[in-house]
Amino acid sequence: MYDEKNLNHEMVQFMDQYGSLLHDNIDLNDSQLLEIYNWMLKTRLFDEKMVRMQRQGRIGTYAPFSGQEASQVGSTYAMEKDDWIFSSYREIAATMVHGLPMQQSILYAKGHMYGGQSPDKLNIFPIQIIIAGQTLHAAGCALASKLKGENDVSVSYFGDGATSEGDFHEALNIASVFKVPSVFFCQNNHWAISVPLHQQTASQTIAQKAIAYGVKGVRVDGNDVLAVYHVMKEALESARNGEGPTLIEAVTYRQGPHTTADDPTKYRNNDEVNEWAKKDPIDRFRTFLNKRGLMDEDKQEKMKGIVNEEIEKAVAEAESTDRVTVDKAFDYVYDKPHKLLLEQQEESRQFLTIKEGR
Ligand SMILES: Cc1ncc(C[n+]2csc(CCOP(=O)(O)OP(=O)(O)O)c2C)c(N)n1
């Protein structure tokens, strides 16, 4: 018999809320620290731009991730190029750090046919909308890598709401039984649309769910980019060493709405939002860098300018990308052409010709 209240998943922290170091064993050099900050700033400005573009009718419904940059950037920065990402709609920062070009995310938000198509040689699966479905894909990919003797790790990103889904439990179970090289990265942003965390689970933490599956569970301050980087590094190493999966719970907060289609003031109160605003991951890391003499206002403004230019360029490229007709969708189902699909493609071409009166 054990006492649920005595389960101990202390939250790993490297920096306090005021950007002061709690550990002196960070193994990142100055240029890496600045690179991480640059990613956080870039993805925040990108996110804000996307929300404005949605309001202008230039993209479709969009799921903002502001507030979750430390979780996403810190974790992906720890990954190797060959590692796989299986993400949902809110993990744009993670996929960008792993190499997905900005304009690809814009094309996706514009509903472009090729928006969900990862460029060749990028180990990033298309965005998953079915909550928790990607955890199974990651477990399967990790099993395949293990059987083939490859050295990569499959990382699935998902929210706290996903842990209420059967897929999440099945994925953890199978990944654990076969000891596959996988990391399950939960961004506990406290809300699944309008459903608060305490209505998703009666467990004290999400990390402790790992115990039931015989895998390692870690709880980390998801607004502390240094802590996230380090716990992720360890989890990846352990997966690569054949020690099986880790479940990471990154405790963070979604500052904006679930998507641009909902109004969070209808379901959560301002006190909560203001409390979390004080824990903003970018402000915290900037204070840390300031204290180290690595950042000041001038540098910050310069960085912002460069990043904004990059974003505008990506937007212009995405907006000038030609639209394609629906028959092109058949080209990307299988690696090699398939008779039945070719028939359907021909049918769709004929349909388009009739519809457009060609
Ligand atoms: C299987 C399934 N059920 C319901 C939905 C509708 N839905 C879209 S987002 C969402 C909430 C997901 O919350 P969470 O997993 O915490 O991720 P977050 O959006 O906070 O990143 C739901 C229920 C869906 N996409 N898939």
Side-chain angles (χ1 to χ4, degrees):
M1 185 72 178
Y2 71 86
D3 179 358
E4 210 264 352
K5 293 196 174 59
N6 283 333
L7 290 178
N8 190 10
H9 273 95
E10 259 178 48
M11 192 147 76
V12 180
Q13 261 193 331
F14 272 55
M15 273 182 290
D16 69 13
Q17 200 171 321
Y18 311 102
S20 295
L21 259 194
L22 304 168
H23 286 259
D24 52 12
N25 51 342
I26 45 167
D27 58 2
L28 289 158
N29 62 36
D30 290 352
S31 81
Q32 289 172 314
L33 292 170
L34 283 173
E35 194 181 9
I36 290 176
Y37 183 74
N38 190 60
W39 274 120
M40 290 171 78
L41 187 69
K42 188 188 293 193
T43 48
R44 168 70 57 93
L45 294 176
F46 177 85
D47 197 54
E48 290 172 355
K49 173 78 182 178
M50 289 298 102
V51 172
R52 288 197 300 279
M53 282 180 64
Q54 194 281 332
R55 300 299 184 229
Q56 294 160 350
R58 291 160 76 186
I59 61 169
T61 307
Y62 176 77
F65 57 81
S66 281
Q68 300 183 209
E69 293 87 351
S71 292
Q72 295 191 29
V73 174
S75 56
T76 317
Y77 196 81
M79 288 165 65
E80 300 292 331
K81 200 79 215 138
D82 283 346
D83 294 335
W84 284 88
I85 288 190
F86 296 79
S87 72
S88 83
Y89 43 80
R90 207 185 300 287
E91 274 90 40
I92 291 178
T95 51
M96 264 192 213
V97 176
H98 208 49
L100 196 72
M102 241 180 221
Q103 63 266 34
Q104 188 71 26
S105 299
I106 305 168
L107 285 182
Y108 178 84
K110 278 172 67 63
H112 193 281
M113 177 87 80
Y114 299 152
Q117 192 191 356
S118 270
D120 277 352
K121 303 207 168 49
L122 265 190
N123 287 354
I124 301 175
F125 237 55
I127 290 178
Q128 176 59 273
I129 298 289
I130 308 300
I131 302 304
Q134 71 273 30
T135 56
L136 285 166
H137 303 157
C141 182
L143 179 57
S145 295
K146 181 173 175 160
L147 294 174
K148 286 156 115 183
E150 292 169 350
N151 199 33
D152 52 83
V153 180
S154 294
V155 179
S156 50
Y157 283 92
F158 51 91
D160 40 295
T163 66
S164 304
E165 294 284 343
D167 284 2
F168 163 77
H169 300 280
E170 291 168 25
L172 266 179
N173 190 54
I174 204 81
S176 166
V177 167
F178 288 103
K179 266 189 177 301
V180 301
S182 185
V183 177
F184 293 85
F185 193 93
C186 176
Q187 290 179 85
N188 171 4
N189 68 7
H190 289 83
W191 291 90
I193 312 187
S194 55
V195 181
L197 180 64
H198 68 87
Q199 282 178 26
Q200 295 292 344
T201 183
S203 305
Q204 286 185 57
T205 67
I206 288 170
Q208 76 192 48
K209 291 177 194 287
I211 297 170
Y213 299 100
V215 302
K216 278 174 254 178
V218 185
R219 195 160 199 251
V220 62
D221 182 338
N223 285 14
D224 174 345
V225 73
L226 298 177
V228 173
Y229 171 82
H230 281 88
V231 301
M232 186 66 171
K233 228 10 202 199
E234 260 180 41
L236 291 164
E237 212 172 282
S238 145
R240 260 185 263 283
N241 289 341
E243 292 162 34
T246 301
L247 170 64
I248 296 177
E249 174 188 5
V251 182
T252 182
Y253 196 70
R254 152 167 65 80
Q255 294 179 347
H258 169 72
T259 67
T260 46
D262 77 305
D263 174 4
T265 63
K266 296 273 187 276
Y267 55 81
R268 65 183 190 190
N269 67 52
N270 272 339
D271 291 347
E272 178 184 301
V273 178
N274 294 337
E275 259 330 288
W276 278 97
K278 291 183 201 153
K279 300 179 192 166
D280 185 280
I282 301 184
D283 291 347
R284 191 190 302 190
F285 194 42
R286 187 174 50 247
T287 315
F288 162 83
L289 293 174
N290 282 342
K291 286 182 183 168
R292 288 209 145 198
L294 292 174
M295 183 56 63
D296 55 33
E297 285 217 354
D298 265 12
K299 274 191 186 164
Q300 154 91 357
E301 283 312 302
K302 225 181 241 164
M303 211 183 240
K304 255 189 183 174
I306 295 171
V307 162
N308 274 328
E309 262 179 44
E310 194 184 334
I311 294 171
E312 289 306 326
K313 196 164 158 253
V315 169
E317 273 174 32
E319 291 192 324
S320 60
T321 303
D322 289 339
R323 293 172 71 161
V324 288
T325 48
V326 77
D327 59 312
K328 295 278 183 235
F330 297 90
D331 291 342
Y332 293 97
V333 182
Y334 294 119
D335 187 29
K336 296 195 180 84
H338 182 284
K339 187 173 166 286
L340 288 176
L341 273 187
L342 290 175
E343 273 175 31
Q344 287 177 37
Q345 184 169 35
E346 188 46 40
E347 236 176 76
S348 118
R349 275 197 192 118
Q350 283 173 15
F351 172 76
L352 288 173
T353 313
I354 294 165
K355 198 167 153 249
E356 288 161 17
R358 282 195 247 143

